[in-house]
Amino acid sequence: MCLTGCKNSEKPSAGSDAGAACDGGAAACSKCCCCVTSVAIKNVRAFNNGSQFGHQFDFEIKMTFASGSAGKSDCVLEWWEKTNVPALTGHSPNTWTDMFANFSTSPTFDPWNNRTVPCPGGGPLTVTIMDPPALGIRPGRTTKRTLEFRLKVKSGGGCSCGSAEASATATQVLEIVNGVPTGSGTYTTP
């Protein structure tokens, strides 16, 4: 998989001519490795727009790219969620689900999917994913939802990185009684 100046969405599939697809016809890509340097949940803010209520937050991912000896190796995003009240088909209740692996085309993940990696020259890259987990406000609805997050980025395989991975966790609790939110809920990070 070529990382040479490509947007992530332009990367060729395995077995294709990676060089031609990524850098305009070069026979081979320069070796490049992605190392995650840090991740953080930031800017948590409650919202209620009349049809939904919850919290928005930013997941900030900092990486560095550098020449490597093991070929081209990108970082890997894992977005694990577990909830008692799933909002999406395919997300079973009370089961950890990698939302990125199962729903990678969601617009939430556009900042990750459309990033341009700084290879072959290397350098830093920061990607911020904004997520607005919420409950729908409907007449008569009564439920209490607990949503847990384990957000993780792994450094590229075979790369000499200071950290193999970085992760952040959080828990959101929202409650609605007879169609009325009981406050703004809570969003906590350890």
Side-chain angles (χ1 to χ4, degrees):
M1 171 173 47
C2 176
L3 295 178
T4 307
C6 293
K7 285 188 176 177
N8 201 38
S9 61
E10 296 171 346
K11 289 180 192 168
S13 59
S16 67
D17 182 356
C22 290
D23 61 12
C29 296
S30 298
K31 295 177 179 171
C32 190
C33 277
C34 175
C35 295
V36 62
T37 55
S38 69
V39 299
I41 293 172
K42 296 182 164 188
N43 303 321
V44 177
R45 53 230 180 256
F47 75 93
N48 181 334
N49 63 16
S51 62
Q52 295 183 337
F53 75 107
H55 301 85
Q56 295 178 341
F57 69 93
D58 296 331
F59 182 55
E60 182 183 80
I61 305 160
K62 293 188 177 191
M63 301 162 279
T64 59
F65 290 82
S67 296
S69 59
K72 288 74 56 190
S73 191
D74 199 2
C75 287
V76 175
L77 172 65
E78 295 180 5
W79 190 285
W80 296 93
E81 293 185 8
K82 181 172 85 168
T83 183
N84 60 322
V85 182
L88 299 171
T89 303
H91 188 186
S92 300
N94 302 311
T95 303
W96 284 105
T97 302
D98 184 349
M99 304 304 278
F100 182 68
N102 289 286
F103 307 101
S104 64
T105 59
S106 165
T108 297
F109 299 117
D110 283 353
W112 178 265
N113 291 331
N114 297 327
R115 66 199 159 100
T116 299
V117 299
C119 288
L125 178 64
T126 299
V127 173
T128 302
I129 299 171
M130 193 281 293
D131 190 29
L135 267 181
I137 300 171
R138 295 189 302 269
R141 184 176 195 185
T142 297
T143 192
K144 182 176 183 179
R145 184 186 76 184
T146 300
L147 175 57
E148 298 174 74
F149 297 90
R150 287 191 313 208
L151 311 179
K152 182 185 301 187
V153 177
K154 295 180 178 180
S155 292
C159 297
S160 297
C161 299
S163 299
E165 65 182 48
S167 61
T169 60
T171 301
Q172 179 194 55
V173 179
L174 300 174
E175 186 173 18
I176 186 169
V177 175
N178 200 23
V180 179
T182 59
S184 60
T186 61
Y187 188 97
T188 55
T189 57

